[in-house]
């Protein structure tokens, strides 16, 4: 709920802080005192367009700040977290600023946000209903959602949405597969050529590198054999060789070790080196014998390299690319053969999903029709009590060409407020006061369904008075059992029904008109109700009437 509203340098307001409480809060004051300005400030806080004209004369900027207790607001913490906003101590502080250059800024809990995000969060916290305000209950999406909640059709609505999502997915798969198949058919001849050319080559991964190595050896076989033979002669030839010379070193090493046992390490190193050279000599001898001059094999390797080079030039740059090109070509060709079967399966799935969607959407329509009649009946009972004796409310279900994620119809709330007038969409009701009272009737019925914690009503008392005012006040008080209610009113009958009463008064500071607020209790509240009654606040009759209104507020409505 909204616990505090702070307004600074906004219109004629220099600085005010409105402390709000649970239940029914009312704001009263003389005409022109600034009641509508406070509503305007609330609208700005909820994301309405900002203008430098709203800044108080002589000030550089205007700010509006609202403190909300969100402990009982389901899902708001997650929504804020998704927007990068931290919620501490179950509190959200929304702030909007307008600078004299017309630029505006917004914050939530100190984090900068766009006006769009501010409005998104604000809509979860406050419904503001005033003259020509098209708030939550005025758009088709919200009307449908509330009707489904009222008629306990949420689960059925979710099922319809789920089936529609499934149907949409299948349709996308059919479109994509059909397009791929058509493209594959256009490219079939070329792909057959690609697949045959690459498959006939029987390529293996890394083959090109192996061929390069083999070709290099075959092309240099004579030189390799000469080098290996020369190295073998050097290591172990019949003349003086490395191994022969090392053998001569054995005697002095043995003699040294016999005299000095600590020199045994040198013998170990000698042995290791001698044996390693022996192994090297054997390997060189074997290698020299293995090098073969094979012109036929060299020609085979060269021809294979040329073939791979041609494929790399077409489908490369790497052999892996060539192999993948062959696989892709074969896959496209296979698609032509398998697509018909796959499309048949997908079409069967689409048909079944359409059948299920139609069936479940029909069930949802029946639930909505039943809920719409019950809601209309309940609202019609309340409209006369709210000063609209000839008012009629209905829920229209406008059929769609075919079911969608939202069902088989659009939901539209309609009203006719005078005899002989046709019902019109709720959003087109001309009178702000009538609109607010229709909203109030809906809120009374939907109080347990609507999760927005704070409801603000402006002009709810427009064009009414006397007994109807009492009935409107009683209705607001009943709604306040489920929501925090904040109403701006000039009717004493409504103000007397509030749990908390705030008055706004216009004065002057430093020669500049300003507005200020006061919380009324006891005698001060009696005086304000007496003033609103149109009598002398000091008159015993006016005060007695005011006390009677206040005392009757606690009686059952």
């Amino acid at each position: 709920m909204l616990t505090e509203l702070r307004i600074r340098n906004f219109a004629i307001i220099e600085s005010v802080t409105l402390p709000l409480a649970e239940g029914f809060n009312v704001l009263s004051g003389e005409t022109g005192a600034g009641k509508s300005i406070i509503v305007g400030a609330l609208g700005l806080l909820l994301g309405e367009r900002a203008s430098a004209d709203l800044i108080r004369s002589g000030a550089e900027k205007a700010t509006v700040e609202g403190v909300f207790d969100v402990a009982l607001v389901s899902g708001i913490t997650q929504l804020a977290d998704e927007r990068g906003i931290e919620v501490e101590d179950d509190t959200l502080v929304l702030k909007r600023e307008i600078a004299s250059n017309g630029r505006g800024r917004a914050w939530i809990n100190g984090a900068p946000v766009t006006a769009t995000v501010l409005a998104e969060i604000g809509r979860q916290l406050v419904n503001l209903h005033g003259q020509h305000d098209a708030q939550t209950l005025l758009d088709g999406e919200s009307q449908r959602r509330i009707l489904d909640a009222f008629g306990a059709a949420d689960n059925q609505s979710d099922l319809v949405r789920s089936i529609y999502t499934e149907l949409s997915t299948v349709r996308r798969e059919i479109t994509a597969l059909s397009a791929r198949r058509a493209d594959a058919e256009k490219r079939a001849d070329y792909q057959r050529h690609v697949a045959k050319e690459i498959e006939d080559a029987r390529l293996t991964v890394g083959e090109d590198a192996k061929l390069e190595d083999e070709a290099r050896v075959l092309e240099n076989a004579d030189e390799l054999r000469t080098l290996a033979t020369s190295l073998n002669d050097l290591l172990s030839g019949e003349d003086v060789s490395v191994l022969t010379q090392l053998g001569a070193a054995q005697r002095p090493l043995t003699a040294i070790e016999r005299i000095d046992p600590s020199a045994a390490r040198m013998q170990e190193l000698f042995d290791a080196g001698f044996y390693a050279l022996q192994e090297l000599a054997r390997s060189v001898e074997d290698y020299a014998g293995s090098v073969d001059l094979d012109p036929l094999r060299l020609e085979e390797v060269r021809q294979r390299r040329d073939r791979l080079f041609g494929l790399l030039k077409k489908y490369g740059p790497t052999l892996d690319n060539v192999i993948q090109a062959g696989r892709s070509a074969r896959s496209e060709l296979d698609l032509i053969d398998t697509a018909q079967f796959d499309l048949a399966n997908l079409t069967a799935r689409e048909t079944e999903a359409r059948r299920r969607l139609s069936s479940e959407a029909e069930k949802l329509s029946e639930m909505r029709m039943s809920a719409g009649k019950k809601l209309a009946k309940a609202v019609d009972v309340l409209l006369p009590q709210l000063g609209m004796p000839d008012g009629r409310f209905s829920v229209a279900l406008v059929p769609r060409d075919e079911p969608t994620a939202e069902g088989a119809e659009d939901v539209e709330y309609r009203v006719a407020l005078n005899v002989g007038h046709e019902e019109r969409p709720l959003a087109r009701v001309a009178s702000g006061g009538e609109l607010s009272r229709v909203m109030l009737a809906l809120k009374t019925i939907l109080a347990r369904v609507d999760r927005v914690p704070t409801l603000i009503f402006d002009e709810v008392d427009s064009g009414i008075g006397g007994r109807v005012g009492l009935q409107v006040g009683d209705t607001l008080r009943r709604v306040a059992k489920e929501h925090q209610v904040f109403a701006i009113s000039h009717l004493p009958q409504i103000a007397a029904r509030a749990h908390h009463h705030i008055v706004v008064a216009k004065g002057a500071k430093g020669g500049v008109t300003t507005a200020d607020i006061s919380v009324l209790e006891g005698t001060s509240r009696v005086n304000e109700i007496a003033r609103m009654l149109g009598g002398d606040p000091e008159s015993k009759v006016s005060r007695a009437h005011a006390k009677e209104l206040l005392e009757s507020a606690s009686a059952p409505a």
Side-chain angles (χ1 to χ4, degrees):
M1 69 173 185
L2 178 62
T3 60
E4 193 170 83
L5 179 67
R6 307 163 188 158
I7 307 170
R8 182 180 295 274
N9 294 325
F10 186 86
I12 66 170
I13 296 176
E14 181 180 21
S15 178
V16 300
T17 299
L18 275 75
L20 300 175
E22 294 181 1
F24 178 17
N25 299 259
V26 73
L27 179 70
S28 67
E30 297 277 4
T31 300
K35 299 190 297 297
S36 60
I37 294 173
I38 291 173
V39 175
L42 275 165
L44 184 70
L45 189 64
L46 299 177
E48 292 184 2
R49 181 171 296 184
S51 169
D53 295 338
L54 298 172
I55 301 174
R56 177 177 164 83
S57 178
E60 294 183 356
K61 61 183 179 181
T63 59
V64 183
E65 196 170 3
V67 181
F68 294 87
D69 181 345
V70 296
L72 302 179
V73 184
S74 176
I76 194 66
T77 300
Q78 180 180 348
L79 178 62
D81 184 64
E82 291 171 354
R83 304 298 181 272
I85 302 163
E86 293 186 9
V87 180
E88 297 181 359
D89 300 324
D90 294 324
T91 298
L92 278 179
V93 179
L94 277 61
K95 183 177 180 180
R96 187 88 180 273
E97 177 184 283
I98 315 168
S100 55
N101 59 8
R103 298 184 62 182
R105 296 190 295 170
W107 299 264
I108 299 180
N109 279 8
V113 297
T114 63
T116 300
V117 172
L118 187 77
E120 181 183 21
I121 298 291
R123 281 195 300 267
Q124 305 302 310
L125 302 173
V126 177
N127 273 173
L128 173 58
H129 303 292
Q131 187 172 11
H132 305 305
D133 281 326
Q135 295 292 322
T136 304
L137 286 176
L138 296 186
D139 67 88
E141 168 67 25
S142 295
Q143 291 179 4
R144 183 182 63 251
R145 175 179 55 80
I146 291 173
L147 180 64
D148 287 346
F150 176 77
D154 282 337
N155 291 340
Q156 186 66 21
S157 178
D158 290 343
L159 177 59
V160 169
R161 184 176 298 277
S162 174
I163 297 173
Y164 183 79
T165 299
E166 178 185 340
L167 176 60
S168 299
T169 300
V170 172
R171 284 173 171 170
R172 285 195 298 270
E173 291 177 7
I174 290 174
T175 301
L177 182 56
S178 298
R180 286 172 55 206
R181 181 191 183 194
D183 185 56
E185 288 176 340
K186 291 178 183 177
R187 293 158 44 90
D189 290 342
Y190 171 71
Q191 295 293 19
R192 286 191 188 95
H193 167 73
V194 172
K196 186 176 187 307
E197 184 178 28
I198 295 175
E199 288 169 359
D200 287 349
R202 299 182 182 279
L203 304 174
T204 58
V205 176
E207 181 182 2
D208 51 343
K210 292 178 181 178
L211 287 173
E212 287 294 333
D213 292 342
E214 186 177 1
R216 189 166 50 253
V217 171
L218 290 169
E219 290 169 350
N220 296 280
D222 188 52
E223 182 181 359
L224 289 172
R225 180 184 288 178
T226 299
L227 291 170
T229 300
S230 174
L231 179 58
N232 185 49
D233 290 342
L234 181 63
L235 290 171
S236 57
E238 294 180 357
D239 297 331
V240 179
S241 65
V242 172
L243 289 174
T244 301
Q245 294 183 42
L246 281 175
Q250 179 64 48
R251 288 188 298 275
L253 269 175
T254 302
I256 291 173
E257 184 180 359
R258 188 182 304 117
I259 299 171
D260 183 3
S262 65
R265 176 62 178 160
M266 290 190 293
Q267 182 63 50
E268 294 174 1
L269 293 172
F270 173 81
D271 291 343
F274 186 79
Y275 295 143
L277 285 172
Q278 278 187 324
E279 181 64 27
L280 175 61
R282 283 193 294 272
S283 296
V284 170
E285 185 178 8
D286 292 342
Y287 179 77
S290 68
V291 175
D292 190 16
L293 296 174
D294 189 348
L296 293 178
R297 176 58 185 164
L298 177 58
E299 183 59 26
E300 290 177 359
V301 169
R302 284 173 173 169
Q303 289 179 1
R304 183 65 176 172
R305 285 170 60 198
D306 290 343
R307 187 172 187 181
L308 263 61
F309 178 76
L311 293 173
L312 287 168
K313 193 172 182 181
K314 287 183 178 181
Y315 312 112
T318 69
L319 196 60
D320 285 344
N321 296 139
V322 177
I323 294 172
Q324 185 57 45
R327 290 172 179 168
S328 297
R330 177 55 60 192
S331 177
E332 279 203 33
L333 292 170
D334 291 342
L335 175 64
I336 297 174
D337 297 329
T338 62
Q340 187 62 39
F341 176 76
D342 293 338
L343 282 171
N345 287 337
L346 287 171
T347 301
R349 286 173 55 194
E350 180 193 22
T351 300
E352 174 59 15
R354 288 180 62 186
R355 184 197 65 77
R356 288 167 50 218
L357 177 63
S358 178
S359 175
E360 299 301 333
E362 185 177 351
K363 293 178 184 178
L364 179 59
S365 297
E366 292 173 356
M367 297 176 74
R368 285 174 174 169
M369 187 175 297
S370 175
K373 291 178 180 178
K374 292 177 182 178
L375 181 60
K377 185 176 180 180
V379 173
D380 283 349
V381 170
L382 287 177
L383 290 181
Q385 301 175 19
L386 298 176
M388 292 175 281
D390 299 316
R392 300 190 318 277
F393 176 88
S394 65
V395 178
L397 302 182
V398 183
R400 295 184 172 184
D401 293 337
E402 62 178 28
T404 66
E406 290 75 30
E409 61 279 314
D410 291 312
V411 175
E412 186 177 76
Y413 292 172
R414 297 177 179 177
V415 291
L417 300 178
N418 298 289
V419 175
H421 285 224
E422 293 183 357
E423 293 180 347
R424 294 185 301 165
L426 185 61
R428 292 171 54 196
V429 174
S431 165
E434 289 174 334
L435 177 59
S436 292
R437 277 177 277 151
V438 172
M439 291 297 166
L440 178 56
L442 283 168
K443 286 296 180 181
T444 302
I445 298 163
L446 302 172
R448 296 185 181 275
V449 174
D450 196 346
R451 299 172 184 172
V452 178
T454 299
L455 310 179
I456 299 175
F457 293 93
D458 185 24
E459 294 196 18
V460 73
D461 53 11
S462 177
I464 64 172
R467 181 167 180 78
V468 174
L470 286 174
Q471 292 171 332
V472 170
D474 287 336
T475 301
L476 289 168
R477 194 174 177 97
R478 283 196 299 271
V479 174
K481 293 178 180 178
E482 303 292 339
H483 300 266
Q484 180 191 38
V485 174
F486 181 34
I488 289 81
S489 179
H490 69 277
L491 278 184
Q493 292 86 350
I494 291 178
R497 290 305 194 253
H499 297 102
H500 309 281
H501 193 156
I502 303 169
V503 66
V504 59
K506 186 162 62 175
K509 288 185 179 179
V512 180
T513 301
T514 187
D516 204 354
I517 64 101
S518 301
V519 178
L520 303 181
E521 293 180 350
T523 302
S524 61
R525 188 176 186 191
V526 172
N527 291 340
E528 174 63 9
I529 297 295
R531 180 199 66 77
M532 296 174 74
L533 284 166
D536 180 1
E538 303 300 325
S539 164
K540 290 183 179 181
V541 175
S542 296
R543 292 173 58 80
H545 191 182
K547 288 179 180 179
E548 181 182 356
L549 280 177
L550 290 168
E551 289 169 358
S552 66
S554 59

